[in-house]
């Protein structure tokens, strides 16, 4: 019985002769129906998961790229939400995308949006909880990022392109220029949001994400920007819903 | 939570674009069906929407990913995620397909055919048993749309489904459009197929639209779910219901999705067909 399934998969891949014991007519039009449905299903899942990439490249370019990705990395699960995790890295290596350096980082932001959308529900850290701690206790504590939070820092204007294409910021004449930008993608409640980060905020959040204490994260923020105002930085991140809870030092 | 206390009624495939109207619809007996694979997420708005719908309406989970006709056991992780959704949403019915879509770690987003041999029957009996045991629920198994006249069948499809139901206690989900599409593509009588189905095993009926293949026209119909239910399918549906009695009936639409009201009009037509007055036995269909 494995023989049939092996042969059918070979026929889906183009080798209709493998299926001859069960389908003598290698030109049977029905084979194309299955091939088309599968190709369409994969391309549609990727187009839905990477809408900004699809819009920037156009439908035909995207579909061709998606199908090539799917041939090399077919989905493994019927729950297709996680499919395409490797697509941004693959795009970065995809020869036809060589002249489109913004595609792979834009794909990472699309991916972050999808991950945030499906991430576990979790409370947002109440600023009042942090306000009652004395400074020494606060610096020794760790702030756990919200499970939906994804932190990015780019050397080029990726954030501007993506925020505008996804409607988080008004559409503008966009330039691909070498200008550092940060962005936080997070879903504090049921709506995915995206907020720009400055250099100090991004350094602070990445340190928190990697397990640093707030004191260590503050050092990172000052290293990134000596003029950083720690109080307003932390307040802005709390308001954005970046954290789910504080872990006091035990 | 509501249950199906109006008897077998008609439902609608739930589309994200229609969540708000679906939630607010006052239609008597209305229920919704979703693909559980679209809700296998950790959290977020999709589960929240379905939670809200489920508080108001009965729900059916219609899976596409168990791959019961693969040459391997259903994926344990997928079964566990399916069970978690079933426990969360308490569907009044759960269903899957007589087809395969995943094996050896690769998923093909389609419902693939197989030769109906006795060996495949034994394999699928084992897979359905395993799934029903893991879920703690009975499954309904749906007849597929077929596009290839495969050789090597040892049993007819009705005979195969009947044997599967007998061996596992599973029920049948009869997709009347699939019967119509397969009958046209493979050249058998849709009426004879429907008349031969074991009435007592039928737990649900599906209705959907199809389209002719762009290259082969009416000789190759595609189960596209992108059009209204065809009149010929409504006629077959009336014939089936006249013989077996009312069954929960779903109108499916997955592409080219119209306004909610337009889908509801189709759903209401099925709903009316299930009402006692509409089911006076048709002389030409009362036997069978």
């Amino acid at each position: 019985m494995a023989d049939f399934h092996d042969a059918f998969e070979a026929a889906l891949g183009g080798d209709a002769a493998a299926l001859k014991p069960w389908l003598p007519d290698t030109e049977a039009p029905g084979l194309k129906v299955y091939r088309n449905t599968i190709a369409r299903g994969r391309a549609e899942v990727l187009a839905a998961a990477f809408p900004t990439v699809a819009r920037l490249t156009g439908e035909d370019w995207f579909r061709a790229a998606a199908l090539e990705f799917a041939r090399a990395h077919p989905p493994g699960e019927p729950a297709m939400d996680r499919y395409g995790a490797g697509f941004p890295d693959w795009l970065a290596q995809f020869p036809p995308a060589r002249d489109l350096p913004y595609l792979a980082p834009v794909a990472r932001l699309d991916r972050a949006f999808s991950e945030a959308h499906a991430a576990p529900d979790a409370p947002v850290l109440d600023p009042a909880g942090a306000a009652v701690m004395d400074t020494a206790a606060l610096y020794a504590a760790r702030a756990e990022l919200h499970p939906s939070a994804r932190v990015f820092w780019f050397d080029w204007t990726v954030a501007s392109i993506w925020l505008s294409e996804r409607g988080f910021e008004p559409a503008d004449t966009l330039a691909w220029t070498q200008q550092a930008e940060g962005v936080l993608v997070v879903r504090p409640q049921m709506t995915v949001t995206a907020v720009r980060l400055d250099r100090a905020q991004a350094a602070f959040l990445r340190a928190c994400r990697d397990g640093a204490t707030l004191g260590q994260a503050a050092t990172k923020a000052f290293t990134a920007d000596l003029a950083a105002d720690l109080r307003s930085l932390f307040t802005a991140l709390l308001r954005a819903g970046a954290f789910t809870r504080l872990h006091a030092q035990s | 939570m509501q249950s199906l206390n109006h008897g077998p009624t008609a439902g609608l495939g739930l589309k994200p674009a229609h969540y708000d109207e679906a939630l607010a619809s006052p239609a008597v007996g209305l229920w919704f069906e979703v693909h559980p694979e679209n809700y296998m997420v950790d959290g977020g708005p999709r589960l929240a929407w379905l939670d809200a719908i489920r508080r108001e309406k009965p729900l059916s989970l219609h899976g596409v990913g168990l791959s019961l006709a693969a040459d391997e056991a259903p994926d344990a992780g997928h079964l566990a995620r399916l069970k978690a959704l079933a426990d969360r949403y308490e569907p009044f019915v759960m269903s899957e397909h007589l087809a395969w879509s995943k094996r050896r770690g690769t998923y093909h987003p389609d419902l693939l055919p197989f030769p109906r041999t006795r060996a495949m029957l034994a394999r699928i009996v084992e897979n359905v048993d395993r799934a029903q045991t893991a879920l703690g629920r009975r499954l309904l198994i749906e007849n597929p749309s077929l596009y290839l006249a495969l050789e090597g069948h040892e049993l007819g499809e009705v005979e195969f489904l009947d044997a599967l139901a007998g061996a596992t206690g599973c029920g049948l989900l009869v997709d009347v459009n699939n019967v119509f599409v397969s009958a046209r593509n493979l050249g058998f009588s849709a009426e004879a197929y429907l008349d031969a189905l074991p009435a007592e095993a039928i737990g649900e009926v599906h209705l959907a639209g199809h389209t002719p293949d762009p290259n082969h026209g009416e000789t190759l119909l595609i189960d596209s779910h992108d059009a209204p239910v065809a009149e010929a399918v409504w006629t077959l549906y009336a014939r089936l219901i006249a013989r077996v009695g009312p069954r929960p009936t779903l109108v499916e639409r997955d592409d080219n999705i119209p306004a909610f009201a337009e889908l509801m009009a189709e759903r209401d037509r099925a709903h009316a067909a299930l009402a006692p007055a509409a089911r006076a036995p048709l002389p030409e269909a009362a036997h069978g």
Side-chain angles (χ1 to χ4, degrees), chain A residues 73-92:
Chain A
H73 308 280
E77 290 298 326
M80 300 270 267
D81 270 275
R82 286 178 184 78
Y83 183 51
F87 189 60
D89 284 346
W90 181 88
L91 266 184

Side-chain angles (χ1 to χ4, degrees), chain A residues 1-2 4-6 8-9 22 29-31 33-34 37 40 42 75-78 81-82 117-121 187 190, chain B residues 42-46 65 69 71 78 81 100 102-103 105 107-108 110 113-115 119-120 147-148 150-151 216 255:
Chain A
M1 134 189 355
F4 171 80
H5 291 80
D6 285 339
F8 200 90
E9 284 185 332
W22 297 275
L31 265 181
V33 176
Y34 292 111
T37 303
R40 188 177 162 199
R42 291 172 172 179
E77 290 298 326
D81 270 275
R82 286 178 184 78
H117 195 266
D121 301 332
R187 200 199 80 231
M190 286 298 147
Chain B
D42 295 323
R46 234 178 300 166
D71 55 332
H78 187 73
R81 288 188 283 277
W100 60 287
K102 184 193 167 184
R103 73 190 282 266
Y107 174 64
H108 309 283
D110 201 357
F114 61 94
M120 275 306 298
Y147 303 99
L148 290 172
L150 292 180
E151 297 191 355
H216 297 86
D255 207 347

Side-chain angles (χ1 to χ4, degrees), chain B residues 85-257:
Chain B
L85 283 172
D87 290 347
R88 178 172 180 141
Y89 291 111
E90 299 179 332
F92 74 92
V93 63
M94 283 184 85
S95 51
E96 253 290 351
H97 296 82
L98 186 68
W100 60 287
S101 55
K102 184 193 167 184
R103 73 190 282 266
R104 315 290 190 265
T106 296
Y107 174 64
H108 309 283
D110 201 357
L111 298 162
L112 301 173
F114 61 94
R116 291 180 304 267
T117 59
R118 290 182 197 287
M120 275 306 298
L121 178 61
R123 172 83 250 181
I124 298 173
V125 164
E126 193 184 320
N127 285 353
V128 170
D129 262 339
R130 199 184 287 245
Q132 291 187 139
T133 302
L135 295 169
R137 285 173 169 79
R138 182 189 194 220
L139 282 173
L140 304 181
I141 303 298
E142 177 179 337
N143 57 296
S145 278
L146 298 174
Y147 303 99
L148 290 172
L150 292 180
E151 297 191 355
H153 293 304
E154 293 167 7
L155 297 106
E157 191 169 277
V158 170
E159 196 184 358
F160 196 95
L161 286 166
D162 195 12
L164 181 62
T168 64
C170 77
L172 302 182
L173 193 176
V174 180
D175 188 313
V176 180
N177 182 60
N178 289 358
V179 173
F180 183 83
V181 165
S182 295
R184 176 70 67 83
N185 292 344
L186 272 51
F188 63 81
S189 159
E191 288 82 359
Y193 181 109
L194 289 174
D195 291 352
L197 284 167
E200 66 288 350
I202 300 173
E204 184 182 341
V205 176
H206 272 185
L207 300 172
H210 57 258
T211 44
D213 180 84
N215 297 317
H216 297 86
E218 295 288 334
T219 60
L220 181 60
L221 297 182
I222 313 292
D223 175 34
S224 49
H225 292 196
D226 63 353
V229 179
E231 282 307 317
V233 171
W234 283 113
T235 304
L236 289 172
Y237 173 61
R239 180 187 182 102
L240 176 70
I241 294 302
R243 179 174 74 86
V244 308
R247 294 291 191 277
T249 300
L250 182 85
V251 172
E252 291 180 291
R253 178 69 82 87
D254 295 310
D255 207 347
N256 195 14
I257 295 167

Side-chain angles (χ1 to χ4, degrees), chain B residues 21-123:
Chain B
E21 289 163 290
L23 189 59
S25 173
V28 172
L30 178 61
W31 52 274
F32 291 107
E33 185 163 288
V34 296
H35 295 313
E37 290 77 8
N38 293 339
Y39 296 85
M40 290 180 176
V41 291
D42 295 323
R46 234 178 300 166
L47 291 176
W49 284 325
L50 200 57
D51 288 346
I53 292 277
R54 182 62 189 95
R55 280 192 288 273
E56 299 298 326
K57 307 281 194 271
L59 196 63
S60 155
L61 294 182
H62 181 52
V64 296
L66 264 184
S67 199
L68 293 168
D71 55 332
E72 62 186 26
D75 183 85
H78 187 73
L79 263 178
R81 288 188 283 277
L82 199 51
K83 178 162 193 327
L85 283 172
D87 290 347
R88 178 172 180 141
Y89 291 111
E90 299 179 332
F92 74 92
V93 63
M94 283 184 85
S95 51
E96 253 290 351
H97 296 82
L98 186 68
W100 60 287
S101 55
K102 184 193 167 184
R103 73 190 282 266
R104 315 290 190 265
T106 296
Y107 174 64
H108 309 283
D110 201 357
L111 298 162
L112 301 173
F114 61 94
R116 291 180 304 267
T117 59
R118 290 182 197 287
M120 275 306 298
L121 178 61
R123 172 83 250 181

Side-chain angles (χ1 to χ4, degrees), chain A residues 28-54:
Chain A
L31 265 181
K32 211 180 211 174
V33 176
Y34 292 111
R35 287 181 187 138
N36 288 349
T37 303
I38 289 166
R40 188 177 162 199
R42 291 172 172 179
E44 280 180 355
V45 163
L46 290 171
F50 298 95
T52 319
V53 179

